[in-house]
Amino acid sequence: MTTTRIVFRLLILCSLSLGVAVVVPGCPDDNGDGDGDGDGDGDGDGDGDGDGDGDGGDGDGVIDVGCTADDQCGVGTLCDLDSGECVAGQDCSANPSICAFCQDPGGTCGTGAAPAYCDEDAGVCRRSKATCDACTDDAECGDGANFPNQCIDGFCAEGCGPCPPGFTCHADGGCVPVESAGSCQGAIHCGDDNECPDGQRCTELGVCLRVCENDAECGPGQICGDEAPLTGQCLNGCPQGQTVQVGGETQICHADGRFGPLCPTEGETTGCPAGLECTADGSCGYSGCVTSQDCELVRTYCDTASGECVDGCEVISDCASFELCEDGQCVPEGCRGKDLSCNLGQWCCGEEYYADNACPAEVEEGECFLTPEPWCQTCTETADCADIDMFGIESDCFELQQQDDQGNTVSLGSYCSVGCESNLDCPRGLNCIDIPVDDQGNTVKGCLGAICQAIAEARDSQGQ
């Protein structure tokens, strides 16, 4: 296995002398004879005694470009945060729930004490993501202080359980009372001198709200409030199957959201409100689906008229990940960003850098595509990179070298650096790093890393 500490060797013109073990192809030495013998020890003292066979000592600019997060690694692997290497992970493809045990003493997942989830695309357990980390599914976000966290608009956010009327989700998780109904965005205040829009009335809360006359005007599991100050408001009813004691008798909550006597016979409608039938626990439930949440298969929804789950969709939640609901059918959504949707070495057309710049001619918006040059453009000298000037940062030609497990130096090729301000300015998997430019400790930001070798080879194979 090779290490991930990469030595960047700047390929420059012969007249420039740096203390970073410069490789200058085709340039004569200072004495003009070019045949020095030397056993150089790499001490950088400039005495010219060495033959260049040394290891470069402290003069090399060494930069660690290893992984820092699991999603920077490929299928079947996760990031060893200590070494910066991508290592084999715990296979969860057949049993995703196994990742819940990764924190147990002696766990072999490689995630340490961190909570873990099953990354279905990678097929291994990976560390749960923190609040504001990029995500594509709730499972990636782990548990908050009070409720499971959620993936909202592509980022992990503190989760809340279902909040009852008059309560809202607190930023730290959990439901807390709202200050007043009038604080809600778009609330219409009312009183003796103000009228409410059609279909609404002025409530005891001092704001206009929609009114209901009976439960049928509310959604499944909701009831029409009959007590002030929520009279005429659709409220969440009791959960089906919950029991209470009323006058010494047990009553049970039926699917209509209201308590009533237990029904006598499973599968029959006797003792049940209209449209419901008796279930095993004595509560009355719907015989078919009520909402699309009752439909277990993806790309199906509930036809409430028939009570059956049918193919297609009504809303995006009826579809699979990375799909949209259009004209009753689930269709591919397209990429939402290079880190959210694309593979290593790729960009997302229409996002990040390519939100304001034209994508390659054959690429449509919403598609992931292999990064074109100048990123990871091969070179033999700095002149090959002269036309690259991203963010006002000049490009140089660097040879990437890697140490294998035997201590041998392996060249990964020479590539042009590309100026950047952050990782958003580089294709996925290629980081914006500090690159040394002289022996005074000065650096510039540039997209460069070991992945350039794979990117360049992929472009060659595609004839780019």
Side-chain angles (χ1 to χ4, degrees):
M1 179 181 293
T2 57
T3 67
T4 57
R5 295 183 65 81
I6 307 299
V7 178
F8 293 86
R9 298 184 183 273
L10 179 62
L11 307 184
I12 59 174
L13 297 179
C14 302
S15 60
L16 183 59
S17 177
L18 301 179
V20 290
V22 178
V23 178
V24 189
C27 293
D29 62 17
D30 290 341
N31 296 326
D33 56 15
D35 36 323
D37 63 355
D39 299 341
D41 59 5
D43 62 3
D45 61 7
D47 59 11
D49 295 344
D51 66 1
D53 293 334
D55 62 6
D58 296 335
D60 285 340
V62 179
I63 301 172
D64 191 352
V65 294
C67 61
T68 58
D70 293 342
D71 57 9
Q72 295 172 0
C73 298
V75 173
T77 63
L78 76 164
C79 183
D80 183 332
L81 299 180
D82 293 330
S83 67
E85 295 182 355
C86 292
V87 298
Q90 172 68 54
D91 187 348
C92 63
S93 55
N95 182 17
S97 62
I98 195 173
C99 301
F101 301 96
C102 287
Q103 292 177 278
D104 291 352
T108 59
C109 298
T111 55
Y117 74 100
C118 182
D119 187 324
E120 296 183 359
D121 292 333
V124 295
C125 299
R126 288 181 167 177
R127 298 169 184 85
S128 295
K129 298 181 179 179
T131 301
C132 293
D133 284 350
C135 59
T136 57
D137 188 81
D138 290 346
E140 302 174 30
C141 300
D143 292 330
N146 298 287
F147 298 95
N149 292 336
Q150 296 177 311
C151 183
I152 300 176
D153 294 332
F155 296 93
C156 289
E158 289 284 351
C160 269
C163 294
F167 289 78
T168 187
C169 182
H170 190 267
D172 295 327
C175 299
V176 296
V178 296
E179 294 181 1
S180 69
S183 66
C184 298
Q185 183 178 4
I188 302 175
H189 294 265
C190 59
D192 295 337
D193 298 329
N194 296 328
E195 293 185 358
C196 294
D198 292 341
Q200 299 185 16
R201 69 172 178 82
C202 188
T203 68
E204 292 87 343
L205 299 173
V207 292
C208 296
L209 295 174
R210 296 188 64 84
V211 296
C212 58
E213 297 293 336
N214 52 60
D215 293 352
E217 297 179 4
C218 301
Q222 290 189 321
I223 60 175
C224 185
D226 52 13
E227 296 182 4
L230 299 175
T231 305
Q233 305 306 305
C234 287
L235 312 173
N236 289 329
C238 56
Q240 183 179 349
Q242 182 180 13
T243 59
V244 295
Q245 293 293 317
V246 180
E249 295 184 359
T250 300
Q251 291 199 349
I252 195 167
C253 182
H254 301 296
D256 61 359
R258 293 189 180 273
F259 287 100
L262 279 69
C263 55
T265 308
E266 182 181 357
E268 296 187 1
T269 60
T270 303
C272 290
L276 304 181
E277 66 179 33
C278 192
T279 64
D281 65 358
S283 67
C284 299
Y286 293 97
S287 58
C289 64
V290 179
T291 71
S292 293
Q293 293 180 347
D294 299 325
C295 301
E296 296 182 358
L297 296 179
V298 70
R299 304 185 188 91
T300 62
Y301 69 97
C302 181
D303 179 3
T304 54
S306 64
E308 296 181 351
C309 294
V310 297
D311 291 337
C313 62
E314 288 184 314
V315 294
I316 190 173
S317 59
D318 299 330
C319 299
S321 299
F322 307 114
E323 291 184 338
L324 299 174
C325 181
E326 294 183 356
D327 299 325
Q329 297 297 320
C330 297
V331 298
E333 177 184 23
C335 57
R336 296 187 293 164
K338 61 185 180 70
D339 294 324
L340 290 173
S341 308
C342 300
N343 293 322
L344 295 177
Q346 291 186 329
W347 288 103
C348 174
C349 183
E351 301 292 336
E352 290 105 12
Y353 177 81
Y354 284 97
D356 301 316
N357 294 279
C359 300
E362 70 279 6
V363 178
E364 296 184 1
E365 185 167 346
E367 289 184 350
C368 294
F369 62 96
L370 180 64
T371 183
E373 294 181 345
W375 292 277
C376 297
Q377 177 178 314
T378 57
C379 57
T380 56
E381 59 182 1
T382 294
D384 296 334
C385 312
D387 59 344
I388 305 173
D389 187 21
M390 292 283 194
F391 295 97
I393 301 174
E394 293 184 0
S395 175
D396 284 310
C397 185
F398 290 87
E399 180 185 11
L400 305 186
Q401 295 182 348
Q402 195 171 53
Q403 297 289 323
D404 63 18
D405 57 357
Q406 302 300 319
N408 301 315
T409 298
V410 179
S411 177
L412 303 180
S414 299
Y415 307 93
C416 296
S417 62
V418 178
C420 57
E421 293 180 345
S422 71
N423 288 346
L424 290 176
D425 305 321
C426 308
R428 184 181 178 193
L430 195 63
N431 293 329
C432 182
I433 62 175
D434 292 318
I435 302 176
V437 294
D438 57 29
D439 57 358
Q440 305 300 314
N442 295 313
T443 62
V444 296
K445 290 283 189 182
C447 301
L448 200 62
I451 195 176
C452 276
Q453 183 183 48
I455 291 175
E457 291 175 351
R459 280 201 296 253
D460 289 342
S461 67
Q462 295 182 13
Q464 295 187 19

